[in-house]
Amino acid sequence: MRNEMKQLFMVISFLSVLFVSPLPTLAETDVFSDIQGQMGQDIMEAYDLQLVNGYPDGTYRPNEEVTTAQFSTILSRVFAEHEVDVSLGSGDATPLTREEAAYYMNLGLGLEKQAEGFSDVPNSSPYAGDIGAVQQTGIITGYSESHFGYGDTLTRAQAAVFALRVYHYLDPFELEETTIADIQAAMDRGKLTAEELVGMYLERIDLYDQQGPAINSIITINPEAEAIARELDEERAVSGPRSPLHGIPVVVKDNFDTVDMATSAGCLCLKDSFPLDDAEQIKLLKDAGAIIIAKANLHEFAFGITTVSSLGGQTLNPYNLDYLPGGSSGGTGAALAANFAVAGLGTDTGGSIRIPAAFNSLVGIRPTIGLTSRDGIIPLALTQDVGGPLARTVADAAHMLDVTAGYDEKDVVTAWSKGQIPASYTDYLDVDGLQGARIGVARELFSDAAESEEVNRLVEQAVRDMERLGAEMIDITLPNLEEISQYPSLSSWEFKFQLNDYLAELGPDAAHQSLTDIIESGDIEDSMRDSLIARNERESLDEEEYKDIVLFRTRLTQESIMKVMADHELDAIVYPTTTHPAAMVGQSQTSGANNRLSAFSGFPAISLPAGYTSVGTPVGVELLAGRFEEPTLLKLGYSYEQGTRHRKAPALLQ
């Protein structure tokens, strides 16, 4: 009896430290002093959910053993939060083993016992079925495919991670701010179907895009989206998902060819233009099981950065309806910010992916020219054009890049991508990715205009955050910046000729055969007329001025970036995505020339959420790296994203 009382006293005493004693607030400690990496992130999330506590000295002591009493207490909190009626018992001070943890978790989950394939789990073990069942959910895994760690005691770190996984496993599916991983997990657990998901997004589009605040981001809704989703659900049930994008609703800018929906570039003149086949990136998405749920508005023919078109009208910024969403991929940007789809595609000739990413608190990637095919994209200037992903998270952007990158015989420049594409871009999602990185800070790309003050403040904070997260931030001066900045975009030269080539590919029954036909039709945005006429007056690309720009601008920009990166041994260069914040609807929008570094060099860049202005509009920070260094950008971007968590849904739509 004395030993039992002593044991009980030890349990109560230890629990009082582990679960009752006050801790310094997060504002004081930010994280426990002895945790780091992804496991540290999970421990902190479990702490935020009040599932676990640390010690009064600000440590967590992740490697200490956990007793059955302690784990029972943690799981009881998880199950009580989700109204699961189960009794786990009070436990005792005996150290808990990994197999016992599986048993305790399955008591509340109530899963059917499953066979497991670990070589170190005895066939006679009473816990084998629980291990197999919980393993199927992904909540608990082995040290390797063949080794479970049978008999090993559970650590405090593992207890927090397992409890957090159980917590999220029991969470009901929530559409707002969901991710590709969240959706696949919900589908794997039978909580969600692709058809249900499409229906939820269509309802949200109707509620917020067509009515209510009327964001006006969508031009066309796919009438077959629900039928396609049903077919994908049936396929999943028989053979499993094709890829992480199986059943994932995607919205694409309406200058990507879609054989089953008109492709308009936002122009009334092309409102009934059906291409003969899908753009290569659209085909790749469909092959991966993605659902093109809708096509998004854009600045007509991708000419500007305010996203207004004769067919789609003016798109609004979901964070503040009085402000612009950026462009030219502003419809895709606003739609994703407003949670009308999971991820999307935009195009970028100057800054048309990254500007709407900045103004809508999104991740936007302008890939290396040659990484993704431009086949089937209505061109603006193929010397600079590229299509790439927009998403709410770096991970989702990486999933999109996995599917859309690669060689396409119809776009010869993609031959450069051979041997440059990793097995998966998601392999580079490292929460500690900024540790030891060397990043050049291009402060000459900050604007000294009064209206740029908030942008500068937020991007300077981003620089400090990157340093806090382990990067060495080095002030740099970009060689030849003034000369580079004086070069024009080539859209004023190439557009007419490349558009005419595109129109010819639509076949003899196409409504318009040339830019001249389009101008004469009158079915264009009034503010576009003069620009279209000026471009239509170009007579040839066989002019020395044009050839000099193509040759010298590209070489000078590439060599200048490469030199400064080599001189300072940099992984990337950082600067504001745009020098100015989002402007009010009806006013002119200034973005600055920072976006041209990537466009003129052909090197990749990523825009990341950096915070919000006093009127609630988002601001972005951009990272630029060398050719085909998308893995580096994803690693750095993911680390920054996870260390700052700036992205939040628009308050107007909650």
Side-chain angles (χ1 to χ4, degrees):
M1 182 70 175
R2 179 178 299 174
N3 287 337
E4 291 176 355
M5 290 297 293
K6 181 178 180 182
Q7 191 176 65
L8 179 61
F9 177 76
M10 289 171 62
V11 171
I12 293 172
S13 298
F14 194 77
L15 288 176
S16 69
V17 172
L18 183 58
F19 301 117
V20 179
S21 298
L23 278 174
T25 66
L26 286 181
E28 293 169 342
T29 65
D30 192 33
V31 293
F32 296 116
S33 61
D34 56 348
I35 61 171
Q36 60 183 354
Q38 186 59 57
M39 183 170 284
Q41 295 278 345
D42 291 342
I43 291 170
M44 286 307 301
E45 186 177 352
Y47 173 82
D48 290 342
L49 292 169
Q50 299 182 353
L51 304 181
V52 300
N53 264 355
Y55 287 88
D57 63 358
T59 62
Y60 185 75
R61 303 180 196 174
N63 296 321
E64 283 188 354
E65 293 179 338
V66 169
T67 68
T68 57
Q70 292 160 5
F71 196 60
S72 176
T73 300
I74 296 172
L75 284 183
S76 294
R77 291 177 176 177
V78 173
F79 293 134
E81 180 72 19
H82 290 86
E83 299 181 352
V84 174
D85 186 14
V86 61
S87 175
L88 300 178
S90 59
D92 56 29
T94 305
L96 186 78
T97 63
R98 287 168 55 82
E99 60 270 20
E100 290 170 335
Y103 166 76
Y104 272 99
M105 289 187 282
N106 203 24
L107 275 179
L109 295 173
L111 303 171
E112 183 177 346
K113 295 189 177 185
Q114 301 282 339
E116 48 70 37
F118 296 110
S119 61
D120 63 327
V121 176
N123 293 332
S124 59
S125 170
Y127 303 115
D130 296 304
I131 292 171
V134 181
Q135 179 197 13
Q136 291 292 321
T137 68
I139 291 172
I140 191 169
T141 56
Y143 296 145
S144 68
E145 289 185 5
S146 61
H147 186 68
F148 177 72
Y150 194 90
D152 288 357
T153 54
L154 200 70
T155 66
R156 282 168 50 79
Q158 292 170 338
V161 171
F162 292 164
L164 184 64
R165 290 175 182 171
V166 172
Y167 185 95
H168 287 310
Y169 182 86
L170 293 170
D171 278 344
F173 177 75
E174 293 184 6
L175 185 71
E176 191 172 281
E177 298 296 287
T178 193
T179 66
I180 291 171
D182 291 339
I183 291 167
Q184 293 300 341
M187 289 182 175
D188 287 345
R189 296 166 190 163
K191 292 184 177 182
L192 180 71
T193 66
E195 184 178 7
E196 290 169 342
L197 183 62
V198 166
M200 294 164 73
Y201 277 123
L202 292 177
E203 182 179 357
R204 190 170 174 87
I205 290 170
D206 180 64
L207 186 63
Y208 294 119
D209 198 64
Q210 312 299 313
Q211 304 180 61
I215 302 299
N216 201 35
S217 65
I218 301 299
I219 284 181
T220 305
I221 292 174
N222 187 350
E224 299 299 319
E226 290 177 295
I228 294 168
R230 271 195 302 276
E231 293 175 1
L232 288 166
D233 284 331
E234 292 168 3
E235 180 182 323
R236 178 189 287 268
V238 173
S239 56
R242 301 181 195 177
S243 80
L245 290 186
H246 190 109
I248 299 296
V250 172
V251 62
V252 301
K253 188 177 183 178
D254 198 17
N255 59 351
F256 282 85
D257 279 352
T258 47
V259 71
D260 46 359
M261 288 180 279
T263 300
S264 72
C267 186
L268 275 169
C269 63
L270 297 177
K271 67 180 179 66
D272 296 318
S273 179
F274 283 80
L276 301 179
D277 55 13
D278 285 326
E280 177 67 11
Q281 290 196 54
I282 299 297
K283 176 183 180 297
L284 292 171
L285 285 170
K286 289 181 176 180
D287 289 347
I291 302 165
I292 311 302
I293 191 172
K295 302 192 75 177
N297 195 24
L298 64 153
H299 201 107
E300 190 157 319
F301 285 112
F303 269 24
I305 58 173
T306 60
T307 303
V308 61
S309 69
S310 57
L311 181 59
Q314 175 67 65
T315 298
L316 307 179
N317 191 312
Y319 286 91
N320 188 325
L321 303 179
D322 294 329
Y323 286 78
L324 295 167
S328 62
S329 309
T332 305
L336 295 177
N339 286 276
F340 297 156
V342 185
L345 287 180
T347 61
D348 193 311
T349 306
S352 291
I353 287 174
R354 293 159 291 151
I355 295 170
F359 290 174
N360 290 280
S361 200
L362 299 173
V363 177
I365 298 176
R366 177 189 163 92
T368 303
I369 288 183
L371 184 68
T372 57
S373 173
R374 286 89 51 86
D375 171 68
I377 298 174
I378 297 178
L380 181 56
L382 286 173
T383 300
Q384 299 169 207
D385 286 350
V386 67
L390 284 152
R392 288 186 292 271
T393 69
V394 175
D396 285 356
H399 281 300
M400 290 286 288
L401 207 55
D402 270 345
V403 168
T404 54
Y407 172 64
D408 175 18
E409 63 181 12
K410 300 182 294 298
D411 185 2
V412 66
V413 73
T414 58
W416 288 103
S417 71
K418 287 284 192 177
Q420 301 290 344
I421 301 173
S424 175
Y425 287 104
T426 62
D427 292 340
Y428 296 88
L429 303 178
D430 181 2
V431 71
D432 295 321
L434 283 164
Q435 288 283 342
R438 291 175 60 86
I439 299 177
V441 183
R443 286 200 164 83
E444 57 198 322
L445 297 181
F446 290 63
S447 171
D448 58 5
E451 57 268 33
S452 301
E453 182 179 345
E454 286 190 294
V455 173
N456 292 343
R457 174 177 57 80
L458 291 168
V459 177
E460 288 286 7
Q461 181 59 53
V463 170
R464 291 191 293 272
D465 286 334
M466 290 178 188
E467 187 172 39
R468 170 179 61 83
L469 293 165
E472 185 176 356
M473 310 305 289
I474 302 151
D475 284 341
I476 61 168
T477 299
L478 284 161
N480 308 306
L481 180 61
E482 184 176 352
E483 185 177 353
I484 293 168
S485 301
Q486 289 175 354
Y487 278 108
S489 171
L490 286 173
S491 63
S492 62
W493 287 85
E494 298 179 358
F495 175 70
K496 167 189 174 178
F497 308 102
Q498 293 166 359
L499 177 68
N500 287 348
D501 290 343
Y502 169 84
L503 294 172
E505 292 175 358
L506 295 176
D509 297 330
H512 301 288
Q513 303 296 321
S514 68
L515 178 56
T516 299
D517 291 348
I518 288 173
I519 294 170
E520 290 178 351
S521 76
D523 290 334
I524 55 178
E525 166 66 26
D526 287 342
S527 62
M528 297 288 298
R529 181 176 298 277
D530 289 345
S531 294
L532 289 173
I533 291 172
R535 284 162 170 77
N536 200 41
E537 290 174 350
R538 292 283 184 193
E539 296 182 358
S540 171
L541 293 181
D542 193 28
E543 297 183 27
E544 289 301 316
E545 182 183 355
Y546 169 73
K547 293 177 181 178
D548 285 348
I549 295 171
V550 174
L551 175 61
F552 295 116
R553 187 195 70 178
T554 304
R555 187 171 69 188
L556 180 67
T557 309
Q558 289 182 347
E559 290 179 351
S560 298
I561 293 170
M562 290 167 63
K563 176 175 172 50
V564 75
M565 293 189 73
D567 286 349
H568 296 280
E569 299 181 339
L570 301 178
D571 296 291
I573 299 170
V574 66
Y575 46 85
T577 306
T578 67
T579 55
H580 291 59
M584 295 189 73
V585 174
Q587 295 182 355
S588 60
Q589 176 68 65
T590 299
S591 66
N594 294 355
N595 47 65
R596 292 189 173 190
L597 284 177
S598 175
F600 288 179
S601 66
F603 293 171
I606 185 170
S607 180
L608 303 156
Y612 304 85
T613 68
S614 57
V615 297
T617 55
V619 167
V621 59
E622 185 164 318
L623 289 167
L624 173 76
R627 179 182 291 171
F628 295 112
E629 284 296 327
E630 282 82 1
T632 297
L633 293 178
L634 289 165
K635 181 177 71 171
L636 301 177
Y638 183 77
S639 182
Y640 172 74
E641 172 194 64
Q642 296 300 302
T644 55
R645 303 279 187 168
H646 286 304
R647 165 72 197 175
K648 61 184 179 183
L652 291 170
L653 309 185
Q654 294 180 16

